[in-house]
């Protein structure tokens, strides 16, 4: 034999065995890798539950080393004891067999061949806990005998956190839904959600009560079917969809039992988080009661306005009825005073005059108070000289002061502007009331009027006026009542000094109307101080009008103008033509608005004087027609000055809105008309002749035409009688309006007043009142025509 080694090729049996060993090695490595994975814990026990394998994942999750656990404890020793008890109790009930709350509770199902995956809480070495999901499998030998158990667990902390957050989120959502539902259900309005097709998707209890249907019956039903007017209801939803919201949309809901309820809907569109339109959310409020209250208020307001108009008409009528004879009485008294009288007769005449004067003052006070309370008293804003104004006031009260031997003083403090813008007439009325009272209640001594800047006012043009006297004074407890209507300090004051107590009430109202305040201080037997402060504007040089083109000598020159006068009243035409006769103005007359429009289109006019109230076409319609024609012809707007006998609130704004350039109230003074023409005209080229003093000639010319005017008024009486016989109130209204505009122009203010009364009475189709005014005009003409 040889000692050399010979390689013997492997037999097939050897090769197979080698492959098997290699597979076993690989399988062992795979098992080792699985058991030592850090992503899950692998704990294997023997049949009694004592730990035999404790992998790397178990070490990392629980903080124990494998050597500390193997052959030492069971998995029950690292589990929550309370959970073991609960699990044992639950399994005992489920499987109808007693189970101990230890390791048996963890593996009982697996020992019976039942797949078992459950959640439990593991306790780490440091005492901290974490949730785990455990899968339990029984390990058996070839004979099927259990030799141990394998518990594979994963850390469930992250999932638990997610679940907890989800639970919290779900709870918040449920809370929010409950809160939202509570809001919806507690709302006093009937709420409905409607999809874009008009189908109801949700309602609250109020909507159920409104319709008499349940929530289930309403959801899925058309919104429009809940109302008496389905077309209007559907239009409301469409309007919301197009405009995104609608407010105070009125509908009448119809319940199942036929009950109808007027509701006001407020609705808006709503969207999801992606801004996709979901539908309309609508809230309906029952306004049946508010409509009833509104109707009652409207009726009450109408009744109050009617009562106020009736009172104003009555006061105006009574004022006129009393003033007319009182003027005659006072005139005769004045004439008597100038004749040769015995001392006794003169005494009686003076009493006569004073009583008449007191009565007229009372009438004026009552009328002014009624106008203030009815908000019918408008303030002027015109420029005036404070010094000149106060001088006139002092001149008016000086005779009464001198009769009583009183010293009358007027002082204007330095720094008070003389040139002011405000309402001098109402300022004078307040000053006359306060000065008159001071003189009346001062037996001897001094009455002083002081004017000074009001340091407490918000601006430099707030002025303080004080009227101080050395008279009888007012008790302190009476001071708070002196500005009340028909109030004086006590009844003995009225007996001693006379008067109604209305003057101070009117003064307070006028001062408040002017934007100021009034007050009083007084000491009995020492005197009183009445004061008030009101705002004014300063009348700057640039605001002042230039000299008028009449009466200022050889005015100044006037440009040649061609003027169109639209006026249906012959008398008012006469006045206007007389005013303009001595000017270089050429005036054409149109009898109504329709004729004025035709003439304007064919003529070349520099300015239009437009009466507001005319037959066929009124002045405002004519103005709008002219403005439209100018625009269509691409022509510049010619000045149009509105002339009207009405001076109600809003008239000026109405005229300007129609296209008028300016607004004048009849009866119009000559200088006012000339100034308006000058300020607003755009003259055409032409000669400019000089004018002398035309005012006096105009007055003479109107005086020459007065008899003809009075004859026209007499014919108006006949025409109105005939019109009233056939109930033609429109004709009477027109004649009254014309009289209202023309009377003052001819110097007959009474005819203007009567015309206003006729216009008002006929405008309300009040035959009796209209007859009364016609009779009054006739009587006035009887008295007046004898003079002319």
């Amino acid at each position: 034999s040889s000692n050399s080694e010979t390689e013997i090729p492997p037999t097939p049996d050897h090769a197979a065995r080698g492959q098997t060993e290699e597979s076993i090695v690989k399988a062992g490595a795979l098992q080792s890798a699985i058991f030592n994975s850090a992503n899950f814990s692998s704990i294997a026990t023997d049949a009694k539950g004592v730990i035999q394998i404790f992998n790397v994942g178990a070490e990392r999750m629980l903080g124990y080393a494998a050597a500390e656990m193997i052959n030492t404890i069971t998995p029950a020793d690292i589990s929550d004891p309370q959970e073991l008890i609960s699990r044992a109790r639950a399994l005992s009930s489920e499987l109808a067999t007693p189970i101990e709350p230890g390791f048996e509770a963890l593996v009982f199902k697996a020992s019976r061949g039942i797949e078992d995956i459950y959640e439990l809480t593991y306790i780490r070495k440091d005492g901290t806990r974490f949730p785990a999901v455990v899968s339990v499998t029984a390990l058996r030998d070839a004979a099927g005998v259990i030799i141990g158990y394998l518990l594979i667990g994963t850390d469930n902390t992250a999932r638990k956190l997610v679940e907890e957050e989800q639970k919290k989120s779900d709870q918040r959502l449920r809370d929010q839904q409950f809160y939202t539902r509570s809001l919806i259900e507690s709302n006093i309005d009937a709420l409905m959600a409607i999809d874009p097709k008009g189908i109801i998707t949700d309602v609250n209890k109020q909507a159920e009560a409104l319709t008499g249907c349940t929530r289930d019956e309403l959801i899925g039903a058309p919104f429009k079917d809940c109302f008496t007017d389905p077309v209007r209801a559907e239009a409301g939803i469409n309007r919301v969809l197009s405009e995104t919201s609608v407010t105070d949309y009125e509908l009448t809901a119809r319940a199942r039992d036929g009950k109808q309820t007027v509701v006001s809907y407020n609705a808006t569109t709503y969207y999801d988080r992606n801004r996709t339109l979901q539908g309309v959310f609508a809230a309906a409020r029952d306004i049946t009661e508010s409509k009833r209250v509104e109707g009652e208020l409207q009726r009450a307001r109408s009744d109050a306005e009617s009562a106020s108009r009736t009172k104003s008409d009555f006061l105006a009528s009574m004022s006129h009825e009393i003033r007319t004879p009182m003027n005659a009485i006072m005139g005769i008294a004045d004439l008597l005073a100038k004749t040769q009288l015995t001392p006794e007769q003169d005494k009686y005449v003076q009493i006569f005059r004073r009583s008449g004067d007191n009565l007229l003052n009372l009438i004026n006070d009552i009328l002014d108070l009624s106008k203030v309370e009815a908000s019918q008293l408008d303030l002027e804003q015109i420029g005036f000289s404070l010094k000149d104004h106060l001088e006139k006031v002092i001149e008016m009260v000086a005779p009464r002061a001198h009769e009583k031997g009183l010293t009358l003083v007027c002082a204007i403090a330095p720094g008070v502007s003389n040139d002011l813008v405000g309402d001098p007439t109402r300022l004078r009325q307040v000053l006359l009331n306060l000065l008159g009272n001071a003189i009346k209640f001062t037996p001897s001594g001094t009455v002083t009027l002081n004017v000074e800047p009001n340091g407490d006012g918000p601006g430099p043009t707030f002025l303080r006026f004080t009227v101080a006297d050395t008279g009888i004074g007012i008790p302190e407890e009476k001071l708070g009542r002196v500005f009340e209507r028909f109030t004086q300090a006590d009844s003995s004051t009225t007996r001693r000094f006379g008067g109604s107590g209305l003057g101070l009430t009117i003064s307070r109202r006028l001062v408040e109307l002017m934007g100021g305040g009034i007050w009083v201080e007084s000491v009995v037997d020492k005197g009183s101080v009445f004061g008030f402060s009101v705002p004014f504007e300063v009348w700057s040089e640039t605001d002042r009008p230039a000299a008028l083109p009449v009466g200022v000598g050889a005015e100044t020159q006037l440009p040649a103008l061609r003027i169109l006068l639209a006026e249906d009243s012959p008398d008012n035409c006469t006045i206007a033509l007389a005013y303009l006769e001595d000017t270089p103005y050429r005036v054409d007359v149109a009898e109504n608005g329709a004729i004025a429009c035709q003439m304007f289109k064919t003529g070349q006019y520099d300015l239009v004087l437009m009466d507001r109230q005319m037959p066929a076409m009124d002045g405002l319609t004519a103005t709008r027609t002219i403005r439209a024609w100018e625009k269509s012809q691409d022509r510049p707007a010619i000045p149009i000055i509105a002339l009207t006998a009405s001076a109600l609130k809003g008239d000026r704004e109405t005229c300007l809105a129609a296209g008028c350039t300016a607004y004048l109230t009849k009866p119009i003074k000559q200088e006012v008309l000339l100034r308006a023409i000058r300020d607003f005209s755009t003259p055409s080229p032409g000669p400019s002749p000089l004018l002398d003093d035309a005012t006096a000639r105009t007055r003479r010319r109107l005086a020459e035409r007065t008899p003809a005017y009075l004859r026209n008024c007499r014919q108006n009486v006949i025409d109105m009688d005939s019109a009233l016989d056939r109930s033609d109130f429109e004709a009477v209204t027109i004649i009254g309006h014309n009289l209202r505009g023309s009377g003052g122009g001819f110097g007959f203010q009474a005819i203007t007043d009567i015309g206003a009364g006729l216009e008002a009475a006929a405008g309300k189709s009040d035959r009796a009142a209209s007859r009364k005014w016609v009779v009054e005009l006739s009587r006035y003409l009887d008295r007046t025509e004898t003079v002319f």
Side-chain angles (χ1 to χ4, degrees):
S1 65
S2 173
N3 291 329
S4 61
E5 297 181 354
T6 303
E7 292 185 1
I8 302 174
T11 65
D13 289 341
H14 288 162
R17 188 164 52 250
Q19 292 175 351
T20 301
E21 290 175 353
E22 184 179 355
S23 298
I24 293 172
V25 171
K26 289 182 178 179
L30 181 61
Q31 290 175 355
S32 176
I34 292 172
F35 275 111
N36 290 309
S37 171
N39 293 324
F40 54 88
S41 66
S42 294
I43 301 175
T45 71
D46 58 17
K48 295 181 180 179
V50 179
I51 297 174
Q52 301 299 309
I53 297 176
F54 198 79
N55 78 337
V56 174
E59 288 180 322
R60 291 185 179 179
M61 284 186 190
L62 291 160
Y64 292 99
E68 296 178 83
M69 310 299 283
I70 294 174
N71 294 322
T72 304
I73 62 173
T74 72
D77 296 320
I78 58 173
S79 301
D80 187 313
Q82 293 300 322
E83 290 183 3
L84 291 177
I85 295 172
S86 297
R87 178 171 175 77
R89 188 180 297 119
L91 288 173
S92 298
S93 175
E94 178 186 349
L95 302 176
T97 183
I99 299 172
E100 292 298 322
F103 180 70
E104 184 181 15
L106 297 179
V107 300
F108 187 84
K109 276 191 173 183
S111 69
R112 298 298 185 270
I114 303 172
E115 181 182 5
D116 197 10
I117 299 176
Y118 53 82
E119 292 185 10
L120 58 72
T121 300
Y122 275 150
I123 301 174
R124 296 188 180 96
K125 183 177 181 179
D126 62 6
T128 59
R129 298 163 174 256
F130 68 95
V133 176
V134 180
S135 173
V136 184
T137 304
L139 302 176
R140 302 175 187 272
D141 60 13
V145 178
I146 294 177
I147 59 174
Y149 296 92
L150 176 63
L151 289 81
I152 298 176
T154 57
D155 188 343
N156 201 31
T157 303
R159 190 171 70 85
K160 279 289 187 182
L161 288 175
V162 171
E163 287 180 353
E164 286 299 319
E165 285 301 317
Q166 186 63 45
K167 287 181 181 179
K168 291 179 182 178
S169 178
D170 291 345
Q171 186 59 46
R172 285 195 298 268
L173 179 60
R174 286 192 294 271
D175 291 344
Q176 184 62 39
Q177 289 173 336
F178 179 79
Y179 175 72
T180 302
R181 195 73 214 174
S182 297
L183 284 179
I184 292 173
E185 294 298 345
S186 63
N187 200 297
I188 64 171
D189 293 337
L191 304 181
M192 289 187 179
I194 306 105
D195 69 16
K197 294 181 180 179
I199 303 301
I200 299 173
T201 58
D202 199 4
V203 298
N204 68 346
K205 294 291 186 184
Q206 294 292 346
E208 292 180 88
L210 180 69
T211 60
C213 299
T214 66
R215 182 167 180 261
D216 290 339
E217 290 171 328
L218 288 171
I219 293 176
F223 171 80
K224 65 181 181 180
D225 289 352
C226 298
F227 303 94
T228 58
D229 189 346
V231 174
R232 177 171 170 78
E234 187 174 33
I237 294 298
N238 292 334
R239 180 176 165 188
V240 180
L241 292 172
S242 63
E243 300 178 11
T244 71
S245 67
V246 68
T247 57
D248 299 328
Y249 193 83
E250 195 169 299
L251 291 169
T252 301
R254 178 171 51 207
R256 172 178 288 169
D257 61 3
K259 179 184 176 183
Q260 295 187 1
T261 306
V262 180
V263 297
S264 175
Y265 255 106
N266 294 294
T268 184
T269 50
Y270 68 97
Y271 305 82
D272 62 15
R273 64 177 59 192
N274 295 321
R275 297 304 297 165
T276 301
L277 177 67
Q278 297 298 299
V280 172
F281 190 73
R285 177 161 296 183
D286 183 350
I287 59 172
T288 304
E289 180 63 16
S290 62
K291 292 283 284 187
R292 184 187 65 79
V293 173
E294 182 183 348
E296 291 179 355
L297 289 175
Q298 184 61 37
R299 287 191 293 273
R301 187 182 301 113
S302 178
D303 291 344
E305 291 173 351
S306 177
S308 177
R309 287 193 299 269
T310 300
K311 181 185 77 171
S312 299
D313 291 344
F314 171 77
L315 289 174
S317 173
M318 290 305 297
S319 171
H320 184 79
E321 293 288 347
I322 296 174
R323 276 175 173 155
T324 300
M326 281 303 300
N327 283 332
I329 293 171
M330 295 299 293
I332 294 297
D334 288 340
L335 291 175
L336 278 175
K338 295 177 183 178
T339 63
Q340 294 294 326
L341 301 173
T342 66
E344 185 177 14
Q345 289 172 330
D346 184 67
K347 175 183 176 183
Y348 294 155
V349 169
Q350 295 308 319
I351 294 174
F352 196 18
R353 296 175 69 188
R354 284 195 298 272
S355 298
D357 187 55
N358 289 337
L359 181 56
L360 280 178
N361 288 336
L362 175 60
I363 294 168
N364 291 333
D365 286 345
I366 292 175
L367 186 61
D368 281 344
L369 182 61
S370 69
K371 287 182 177 178
V372 172
E373 290 183 338
S375 299
Q376 294 177 348
L377 193 65
D378 291 326
L379 295 178
E380 288 186 307
Q381 284 293 106
I382 60 174
F384 68 97
S385 165
L386 177 64
K387 181 179 178 182
D388 292 346
H389 198 65
L390 295 183
E391 286 179 354
K392 292 176 183 177
V393 169
I394 295 299
E395 286 177 4
M396 295 175 71
V397 299
R400 293 168 58 193
H402 294 159
E403 285 178 4
K404 300 183 68 172
L406 302 177
T407 302
L408 189 60
V409 178
C410 177
I412 303 177
V416 174
S417 176
N418 179 62
D419 300 317
L420 304 176
V421 176
D423 192 328
T425 302
R426 297 308 170 187
L427 174 62
R428 179 173 66 246
Q429 188 173 357
V430 175
L431 290 174
L432 287 175
N433 275 329
L434 298 185
L435 288 167
N437 272 359
I439 294 170
K440 180 192 297 184
F441 297 117
T442 303
S444 62
T446 304
V447 173
T448 304
L449 168 61
N450 284 311
V451 185
E452 57 188 347
N454 185 13
D456 298 330
T461 54
F462 245 86
L463 298 184
R464 176 183 295 179
F465 298 80
T466 55
V467 175
D469 64 59
T470 56
I472 63 174
I474 304 171
E476 184 176 358
E477 66 272 13
K478 307 286 186 179
L479 286 177
R481 296 169 43 216
V482 297
F483 294 111
E484 295 179 7
R485 289 183 293 178
F486 303 100
T487 298
Q488 289 188 341
D490 54 45
S491 58
S492 63
T493 302
T494 304
R495 290 195 298 270
R496 289 173 58 196
F497 298 98
S500 65
L502 276 180
L504 291 178
T505 300
I506 294 170
S507 297
R508 184 191 70 183
R509 298 292 182 87
L510 290 175
V511 167
E512 291 172 349
L513 194 62
M514 289 188 283
I518 191 169
W519 66 92
V520 60
E521 300 171 356
S522 186
V523 178
V524 175
D525 296 329
K526 296 292 185 180
S528 303
V529 177
F530 282 84
F532 66 95
S533 63
V534 288
F536 295 95
E537 296 178 11
V538 175
W539 196 20
S540 64
E541 291 290 338
T542 56
D543 295 331
R544 301 187 190 184
L548 289 175
V550 289
V552 295
E555 357 176 317
T556 303
Q557 293 184 339
L558 289 179
L561 297 176
R562 189 175 180 193
I563 297 174
L564 175 61
L565 172 63
E567 174 63 73
D568 65 305
S569 168
D571 296 325
N572 285 327
C573 285
T574 298
I575 295 171
L577 292 173
Y579 283 172
L580 303 178
E581 190 165 348
D582 288 316
T583 67
Y585 304 151
R586 174 184 168 186
V587 183
D588 296 333
V589 177
E591 297 176 359
N592 58 52
I595 297 175
C597 289
Q598 292 300 321
M599 293 178 64
F600 185 87
K601 294 175 182 178
T602 57
Q604 294 291 329
Y605 292 102
D606 301 302
L607 182 139
V608 179
L609 299 175
M610 184 71 75
D611 183 39
R612 177 171 175 175
Q613 186 169 325
M614 295 181 289
M617 180 186 287
D618 64 85
L620 297 186
T621 303
T623 299
R624 286 189 283 265
T625 302
I626 289 173
R627 293 302 187 216
W629 181 83
E630 288 174 330
K631 187 175 181 180
S632 69
Q633 301 295 313
D634 197 24
R635 295 193 178 191
I638 297 300
I640 300 178
I641 300 176
L643 312 176
T644 176
S646 299
L648 301 177
K649 283 183 179 292
D651 278 354
R652 178 178 181 276
E653 289 73 16
T654 301
C655 290
L656 297 182
C660 295
T661 312
Y663 166 93
L664 301 180
T665 303
K666 298 176 183 177
I668 301 168
K669 295 181 180 179
Q670 183 181 23
E671 59 269 24
V672 173
L673 178 61
L674 291 174
R675 177 181 291 132
I677 294 174
R678 183 208 62 197
D679 289 346
F680 296 106
S681 62
T682 305
S684 302
S688 300
L690 300 180
L691 298 178
D692 59 7
D693 187 354
T695 305
R697 289 207 307 275
T698 301
R699 290 173 181 168
R700 288 196 299 270
R701 192 173 298 113
L702 288 174
E704 292 170 358
R705 297 173 183 175
T706 295
Y709 173 68
L710 294 176
R711 287 195 296 272
N712 287 341
C713 290
R714 178 63 69 183
Q715 184 60 45
N716 286 334
V717 170
I718 298 171
D719 293 341
M720 286 189 290
D721 276 330
S722 176
L724 288 174
D725 287 341
R726 61 179 185 273
S727 298
D728 186 357
F729 291 102
E730 183 179 0
V732 179
T733 301
I734 293 172
I735 294 174
H737 180 79
N738 290 336
L739 289 171
R740 181 179 181 182
S742 62
F746 279 94
F748 300 109
Q749 183 60 38
I751 294 181
T752 286
D753 295 340
I754 293 171
L758 276 166
E759 185 178 13
K764 294 184 290 186
S765 300
D766 189 335
R767 189 190 308 276
S770 299
R771 289 282 190 196
K772 179 184 70 65
W773 285 114
V774 172
V775 171
E776 176 58 30
L777 177 60
S778 180
R779 290 175 179 172
Y780 182 79
L781 293 174
D782 289 341
R783 296 191 299 270
T784 306
E785 286 174 334
T786 59
V787 179
F788 292 91

